[in-house]
Amino acid sequence: MRNPIVIGMSWIAVYLGIIVLPLLVLLFYPPTPNAERSFWLEFSVALGFIGLAMMAMQFALTARLHPIEDSYGIDLILQFHRYTSVVAFFFILVHPLILFIDNPETLQLLNFFQAPWRARAAVIATLALIALVVTSIWRKRLHIPYEPWRLAHGILAAIAVGFGLGHALGVGNYLELFWKQIIWVGMAAAALWLLLYVRLLKPLFMLKKPYLVETVIPHRGNVWNLVLRPRSHQGLNFQPGQFAWITLQISPFRMREHPFSIASSATHPDRLEFGIKAVGDFTNTIKDVKPGTKAYLDGPYGVFTTDRYEDTAGFVLIAGGIGITPIMSMLVTLAEREDERPLLLIYSSKSWEDITYREEIEALKDKLDITVVHVLREPSEDWSGESGYVDKELLQRYIPKRPATRNYFICAVPKMMEQVEAALHDLGVPVTNVHMEHYNIV
Ligand SMILES: Cc1cc2nc3c(=O)[nH]c(=O)nc-3n(C[C@H](O)[C@H](O)[C@H](O)COP(=O)(O)OP(=O)(O)OC[C@H]3O[C@@H](n4cnc5c(N)ncnc54)[C@H](O)[C@@H]3O)c2cc1C
C-alpha cells in the first residue's frame, strides 16, 4: 500500500513547485538588464507573481479532485484554501504598494480612465480580489446566503485571476519570451479547465447516475433520513463516515448542492441513507420530499472513516447532535461486518427524547462489543447518567487506560470538537489517533 504521508508530502511539494515556478524561471532567465530597475521594484514584481500563482492554484484546491481530497480531507483543504488566499491577497496588495512608495509617479496608474489597459486590468483584478476576501470572511455577518455567495465567489475568482494574468502579460517586462508566456497562459487555462470541470463536466457525469428518493423517515431530534436508491446503476461505493454532495430535483447544474454524511451501511452501496437535521432553507424541506424525486450525488468524499485504521485495537466515537450520522454509518457497517473490536460511543444530546437514532443504537448492542454513554445537556430530574459537557473528566472515566491503542473519531459542533480534541491531547492520545469531521466548512 502506498504511504499516505509520502503522498501527502508529494502534493505539498507539487504545490510549492508550481507556486515558485515563475520565480525560478525569472531567476534562471532574467529579463534584459535595466539599470533603472531598483531592488524594490524587482521584489514587488516577485510578490505579484507568487500571489497570482497562488490564486490560480486555488482552483485546484477547490475542484474536489479525488487524489487531493483522499490525502487530506475536505476541511483541511478548505482551511488551507482560506489561509493561502489571505497570504496571496497580502502579496498582491503589497505588490503595487511597494511600487507606489518606490516610485510615486506610478500612482497615476490608478487613474482608471487615463491609465493604460494593463493598469486597468490590475485595478479590476485587485477590486475583485478585495470583494472575494471580504465576502468570504464576513459572509455570515453580511447575511449573504450560501448559494449566491458560492456563485459570486467563482465569478470573482475567475475575474481576479484572468485580469491579473492580463496585467502581467500586458506589462510584459518579465514575460517577453514566448515560452514564459506559455507557462502563465497554461496555468490560467488549467484554472479555467478546473472551473469548467466542476461546474459543467462533473454535473454531466452525475446526470448519468441519478438516484430516486425511496422514502423519508422521521427521527428524533428533528432529523429526517432521506433514503436513496440508484436508478439503473450500481450505486455508490463508499467507506463508512464519508459524505456526498446532494442535489435534489431539477438537475445537478443547480448551485443548490449540500454536503451530508452517509448514515447507512457501506455494505449496501445500492441503498443510501442520509440523516438530515432541519436547520435552514434546504434542510427544512427534506420532510416534504416525495418518493420518486430525482437526486444526484457527488461523492464519496472525506477521510473521516474507520476503514483507514484497520490495525487499531478498537474505536472511540464521540458525537454531538447531528454529528452522529457518519458515526452511525461506522457502527452499522462494523455490525454487518461482524467486527468484534471494542467500541465506545460518547454521544451528547440535548435531552433523552432528542437522542437521534436512540433505539437504533440500542439495538446495535446485540451485534457489537459497544459501550454507549449518553451525555445530556438538559437532563430530566430522574436522569442518573452523564450530563453537561463532554470534558476531560468525563472522557477520563471512559476511555481505555492505554488511550493510544484506539483511534478516536469526533463529529460535533465546533466548540465541542475543540474541547474534546484538547482534552484527549491532555489525556495522552496522540494527535495522529484523533480524526474530526467539521460540518461548518463554509
Ligand atoms: C462534510 C459535511 C457533512 C455534513 N453532514 C451532515 C449530515 O449528515 N446531516 C446534517 O444534517 N447536516 C450535515 N452537514 C451540514 C449541512 O450541509 C448543512 O446543515 C446544510 O447544508 C444547511 O443547509 P440549509 O440551506 O438548510 O441551511 P442554511 O441556513 O441555508 O445554512 C446554514 C449553514 O450551513 C452551511 N451551508 C448552507 N448551504 C451549504 C452548502 N450548500 N454547502 C455547504 N454548507 C452549506 C453554511 O455554513 C450556512 O451558513 C454536513 C456538512 C458537511 C460540511
Side-chain angles (χ1 to χ4, degrees):
M1 205 174 103
R2 290 184 302 162
N3 185 334
I5 296 178
V6 174
I7 298 173
M9 297 303 279
S10 313
W11 281 118
I12 293 175
V14 169
Y15 178 82
L16 291 176
I18 294 177
I19 297 299
V20 296
L21 182 69
L23 283 193
L24 289 180
V25 170
L26 287 180
L27 198 66
F28 291 113
Y29 301 95
T32 327
N34 182 339
E36 283 173 25
R37 297 185 71 85
S38 68
F39 162 79
W40 286 110
L41 178 62
E42 306 289 358
F43 181 65
S44 139
V45 172
L47 288 185
F49 273 130
I50 297 187
L52 188 57
M54 287 175 84
M55 282 296 297
M57 284 302 285
Q58 302 298 354
F59 287 89
L61 291 174
T62 52
R64 297 187 205 155
L65 300 174
H66 271 291
I68 305 179
E69 296 268 337
D70 295 351
S71 303
Y72 303 100
I74 194 163
D75 42 358
L76 210 61
I77 291 173
L78 287 186
Q79 222 162 321
F80 185 72
H81 164 63
R82 276 192 282 266
Y83 290 140
T84 49
S85 301
V86 173
V87 176
F89 180 57
F90 175 76
F91 285 169
I92 287 172
L93 280 195
V94 170
H95 158 64
L97 287 183
I98 294 179
L99 288 185
F100 298 151
I101 295 169
D102 186 52
N103 178 6
E105 274 184 27
T106 52
L107 273 168
Q108 292 171 15
L109 294 171
L110 288 180
N111 184 338
F112 195 80
F113 298 103
Q114 286 174 359
W117 71 264
R118 58 178 190 276
R120 289 187 209 158
V123 171
I124 295 173
T126 311
L127 289 178
L129 197 57
I130 292 173
L132 199 67
V133 171
V134 168
T135 51
S136 301
I137 296 180
W138 291 291
R139 177 179 72 82
K140 285 189 182 162
R141 210 175 286 178
L142 294 169
H143 301 290
I144 307 174
Y146 178 78
E147 279 89 16
W149 168 81
R150 197 171 154 213
L151 181 64
H153 197 72
I155 294 171
L156 287 171
I159 293 176
V161 173
F163 279 84
L165 181 71
H167 165 69
L169 291 173
V171 172
N173 267 334
Y174 294 83
L175 300 174
E176 77 282 13
L177 280 186
F178 177 65
W179 61 268
K180 283 187 198 169
Q181 294 183 4
I182 291 285
I183 289 185
W184 276 100
V185 173
M187 237 190 225
L192 189 67
W193 158 251
L194 287 168
L195 196 67
L196 290 178
Y197 169 73
V198 173
R199 300 274 181 255
L200 215 65
L201 285 181
K202 232 179 193 188
L204 279 176
F205 292 138
M206 284 157 66
L207 212 54
K208 287 192 176 159
K209 290 190 166 184
Y211 291 77
L212 291 182
V213 173
E214 184 176 88
T215 179
V216 177
I217 308 167
H219 281 276
R220 292 177 182 280
N222 206 11
V223 171
W224 305 81
N225 268 30
L226 184 74
V227 184
L228 302 183
R229 288 274 189 190
R231 189 183 179 188
S232 334
H233 60 97
Q234 305 292 315
L236 191 74
N237 281 311
F238 66 97
Q239 296 177 327
Q242 287 191 300
F243 69 95
W245 297 81
I246 301 184
T247 306
L248 278 183
Q249 295 156 341
I250 309 190
S251 89
F253 293 98
R254 293 183 74 190
M255 297 303 287
R256 276 205 102 163
E257 49 164 12
H258 292 254
F260 294 102
S261 302
I262 305 165
S264 52
S265 170
T267 55
H268 297 291
D270 59 340
R271 187 181 184 280
L272 305 170
E273 276 193 49
F274 296 85
I276 299 177
K277 188 170 176 81
V279 293
D281 297 355
F282 176 72
T283 47
N284 276 328
T285 64
I286 296 297
K287 61 179 183 308
D288 302 319
V289 173
K290 299 276 170 285
T293 303
K294 259 196 190 156
Y296 300 93
L297 296 184
D298 179 18
Y301 290 108
V303 291
F304 186 75
T305 169
T306 38
D307 275 12
R308 285 169 81 104
Y309 307 94
E310 288 296 339
D311 299 338
T312 194
F315 295 106
V316 175
L317 309 164
I318 303 168
I322 193 62
I324 192 66
T325 50
I327 286 171
M328 200 60 199
S329 174
M330 294 172 186
L331 292 177
V332 289
T333 307
L334 289 168
E336 293 208 352
R337 290 178 185 163
E338 299 181 1
D339 198 295
E340 291 178 352
R341 287 175 288 180
L343 305 171
L344 167 65
L345 170 65
I346 298 178
Y347 184 11
S348 162
S349 306
K350 193 168 158 207
S351 69
W352 181 245
E353 291 310 318
D354 275 321
I355 302 176
T356 308
Y357 307 135
R358 193 179 86 195
E359 289 77 6
E360 289 80 356
I361 291 169
E362 197 58 29
L364 282 170
K365 287 182 178 170
D366 296 336
K367 298 179 182 166
L368 291 167
D369 175 5
I370 186 169
T371 306
V372 179
V373 180
H374 285 295
V375 184
L376 303 183
R377 284 193 311 285
E378 294 176 16
S380 59
E381 280 183 7
D382 56 350
W383 172 249
S384 58
E386 296 288 355
S387 59
Y389 292 106
V390 179
D391 55 16
K392 186 174 158 189
E393 286 68 36
L394 186 144
L395 288 166
Q396 197 162 21
R397 284 198 285 281
Y398 295 100
I399 68 169
K401 294 284 166 280
R402 289 168 50 228
T405 57
R406 302 284 193 274
N407 270 277
Y408 298 72
F409 287 81
I410 316 167
C411 188
V413 291
K415 195 151 186 217
M416 176 171 162
M417 289 214 283
E418 275 166 35
Q419 287 173 353
V420 170
E421 185 189 21
L424 289 176
H425 180 71
D426 288 350
L427 293 169
V429 178
V431 279
T432 46
N433 289 32
V434 178
H435 318 287
M436 303 199 282
E437 187 74 292
H438 291 92
Y439 279 4
N440 64 327
I441 51 171
V442 288

